Amino acid sequence: MQKHLTTKRLMLTAAISIALAGCSVETKTDNVTTQNQQLTEADAKAYVVNAEQRLSEIYEYAAKAEWVAQTYITEDTQFIASKANEEIKLLGIELANGAAKFKDLTLDYDTKRKLDLLRLGLTLPAPADSPELASELAKIESKLSAIYGSGSTPDGNKYDLIGLSNTMATSDDPEAMLNAWIDWRKVSPSMKDKYVRLVEIANQGAKDLGFNDVGAMWRSKYDMEPDAFANEMDRVWGQVKPLYDSLHCHVRAKLNEKYGDDVVPNEGEIPAHLLGNMWAQTWGNIYDLVAPEGGTGVDVTTKLKEHNYTPIKMVEQAEGFFTSLGFEELPGTFWTRSQFEKPVGRDSVCHASAWDVTDTDYRIKMCIQQTGEEFNVIHHELGHNFYQRAYNQKQPLLYRGSANDGFHEAIGDTVALSITPKYLKEIGLIEEEPDASGDLPFLMRMAMDKVAFLPFGLMVDKWRWQVFSGELKPDQYNEGWWKLREQYQGVKAPVARSEENFDAGSKYHIPANTPYSRYFLAHILQFQFHRELCDIAGETGPLHRCSIYNNKEVGTKLNAMLEMGMSKPWQEALEAMTGSKEMDATAVIDYFAPLKTWLDKQNVNRQCGWK
Ligand code: X8Z
Ligand code: ZN
């Protein structure tokens, strides 16, 4: 299930989980329901064929229900979407339980792999044999999504995430930023009791499928032991942590220079409202504060405005990158069915997502703003669509997903790493490519987004794993959230928080129930992919100046991996692309090496670190 799920689930989050979940209707899985009869390999094969058929029948309907619910948030669309989600859950559970019955048989590779995927497909499983609980869980998911998407509170107030985020991105008034930060966190407290119940129900579902809890189930989706996966995340984090620490130290010192000891002391964690982003997950918006002196660098936001790039033009330009690699254009319906701009006069979930509603119907849902940040997000989303189309055309339903979910998140970002000054000049966005003095500014801009993100990418699911395992009880949710924020990111809440707050819920992926480790993986993998593709392109210069634009040979290599879908363990997909089965953050280190040297020079007389 992960398959479709992956796909839609990608963004559909709710729907995604949905996609795997299932149809409450007792259909025929005769081969499994027949009791007291020896199951055979032929039964297993028939079971898989039947499962693929039933999932494909429900998928388009569920995806469309979810699409409308997210782009037109009303009581009615939530109702319809949660019904579809419920059906998917029931089907998913039925298929997962049925799949488990073949576990003692010796089976061919594909049948076995598909049965494993069926068992792992759901993101939030409901308990077996309880349509009531499946329905309750589906309703909670819809409700959480609607609260976040509409930004509304029970007392009838509404908060506009885009407006508040713009304040965080552009203001240098600590009070204004603090108010925006606090305001957005007024939306999430009403999610808390629903979230507590969701954890309860989904954990019961995970237990029914043989997992300790939902977190253990999520960690089981990586073709390795769940504990080994958690260790692998920590290992890779260890590779990049020195780089993060250097960046943190420099950024804190610059914030201290700007705002003074009262706002940002030169020790300890950085208050989370000063980093240019609502969740302090990327820091690129305060680049000017930390910029190396000398070279200028390129501010893409300014250039997009100067050249009157509309949202559509930004998407066309991004599609052009993919077609330059040899990918076919997206279908006409992509342009007519996508949501590119924030709808007027109705609520919509603005958080960006990419959908494969059918194997010919691809869409993105965004509320595009004219910024360099959003230009990157568009490439990110199109990466999902091109990946989806590649495997949808080649693979049977249960293999229609990415090698692991980090791969799905990495593809568009990999392409966007090639948005170099050289490329921007090629497409006419800038007139002159800066000379080598532009390298440090460029790397600093990249680091403020890509390196700053890493500990956030890691801690979100560490929190959820603790919540699902019961290590954090509901009356410790917020405290546990901030403990991890402090420990990994070295940022802290700018004002006192309590268990009345539900700050995790202010981040889309918590109410949307989208697993988050994928983004940590993606932020490592994209550099690994970039280094490899640049090698194929025969680029010998520094990694950060390499662009794969227009290179068909690179496109062919990339496409070969995309087409594999999830037919093989991710380690094999990685090997097919890079020659290695191991995730490896040395590409991140290589890429940022000149910046690291520079940062360490700046930090010589500074006291770095926190607690
Ligand atoms: O949610 C996303 C994408 C959609 S899959 C826009 N991202 C994470 C986030 O915004 O928190 C991309 C990077 C991290
Ligand atoms: Zn994504």
Side-chain angles (χ1 to χ4, degrees), residues 356-387:
D356 56 341
V357 173
T358 68
D359 55 16
T360 54
D361 181 345
Y362 300 90
R363 314 175 188 182
I364 61 173
K365 177 184 64 57
M366 288 185 68
C367 301
I368 297 173
Q369 303 197 77
Q370 202 182 39
T371 64
E373 198 176 352
E374 290 275 271
F375 195 43
N376 275 318
V377 176
I378 294 167
H379 288 77
H380 175 97
E381 298 309 333
L382 291 191
H384 287 309
N385 281 151
F386 281 97
Y387 204 160

Side-chain angles (χ1 to χ4, degrees), residues 446-583:
M446 294 299 285
M448 291 292 276
D449 285 332
K450 302 291 183 180
V451 178
F453 178 80
L454 291 162
F456 184 75
L458 187 68
M459 63 74 53
V460 171
D461 275 357
K462 284 199 183 273
W463 179 80
R464 249 185 314 211
W465 295 347
Q466 292 178 1
V467 163
F468 284 125
S469 75
E471 184 180 338
L472 283 177
K473 305 274 178 290
D475 64 357
Q476 303 167 309
Y477 279 4
N478 218 48
E479 187 198 336
W481 173 257
W482 283 106
K483 236 177 156 166
L484 290 164
R485 294 266 271 163
E486 288 169 18
Q487 181 186 343
Y488 284 97
Q489 289 183 275
V491 307
K492 65 178 179 193
V495 288
R497 309 307 280 165
S498 77
E499 295 304 326
E500 299 294 303
N501 305 118
F502 182 51
D503 292 327
S506 76
K507 178 66 200 163
Y508 168 80
H509 303 70
I510 300 301
N513 295 294
T514 308
Y516 211 81
S517 300
R518 58 183 62 179
Y519 302 109
F520 176 80
L521 301 176
H523 275 67
I524 304 297
L525 289 169
Q526 62 189 261
F527 287 93
Q528 224 176 321
F529 294 159
H530 180 67
R531 183 169 63 183
E532 188 59 32
L533 295 177
C534 288
D535 195 39
I536 294 169
E539 294 249 2
T540 51
L543 261 189
H544 63 273
R545 269 195 236 145
C546 157
S547 178
I548 59 172
Y549 184 57
N550 252 331
N551 192 312
K552 306 283 185 295
E553 189 188 346
V554 163
T556 302
K557 180 86 177 181
L558 180 59
N559 189 50
M561 184 185 79
L562 304 190
E563 281 182 352
M564 288 171 73
M566 55 199 312
S567 61
K568 293 282 174 333
W570 66 264
Q571 294 87 342
E572 286 180 38
L574 185 60
E575 188 178 30
M577 174 104 153
T578 69
S580 163
K581 289 187 168 176
E582 286 251 312
M583 240 193 329

Side-chain angles (χ1 to χ4, degrees), residues 199-312:
V199 169
E200 212 169 83
I201 302 176
N203 266 342
Q204 210 177 312
K207 279 202 180 72
D208 288 352
L209 292 172
F211 302 95
N212 282 341
D213 59 72
V214 172
M217 182 169 170
W218 289 7
R219 293 189 297 278
S220 300
K221 300 186 188 203
Y222 295 92
D223 298 303
M224 61 203 294
E225 288 302 315
D227 287 352
F229 173 70
N231 290 338
E232 191 58 3
M233 298 270 288
D234 289 338
R235 176 185 71 80
V236 174
W237 166 236
Q239 288 186 284
V240 291
K241 185 170 188 313
L243 176 59
Y244 180 75
D245 288 347
S246 297
L247 183 69
H248 181 279
C249 192
H250 176 67
V251 169
R252 186 179 60 194
K254 287 296 182 180
L255 286 168
N256 174 265
E257 270 174 34
K258 163 117 182 140
Y259 294 116
D261 290 346
D262 290 348
V263 181
V264 194
N266 233 333
E267 58 181 22
E269 299 88 359
I270 302 172
H273 64 306
L274 303 171
L275 291 155
N277 175 272
M278 185 56 85
W279 307 276
Q281 68 181 63
T282 49
W283 305 346
N285 289 321
I286 61 159
Y287 167 79
D288 288 346
L289 260 184
V290 302
E293 277 164 27
T296 49
V298 180
D299 179 6
V300 177
T301 300
T302 307
K303 295 294 162 192
L304 291 169
K305 290 190 201 303
E306 275 174 19
H307 288 82
N308 292 320
Y309 266 61
T310 60
I312 296 278

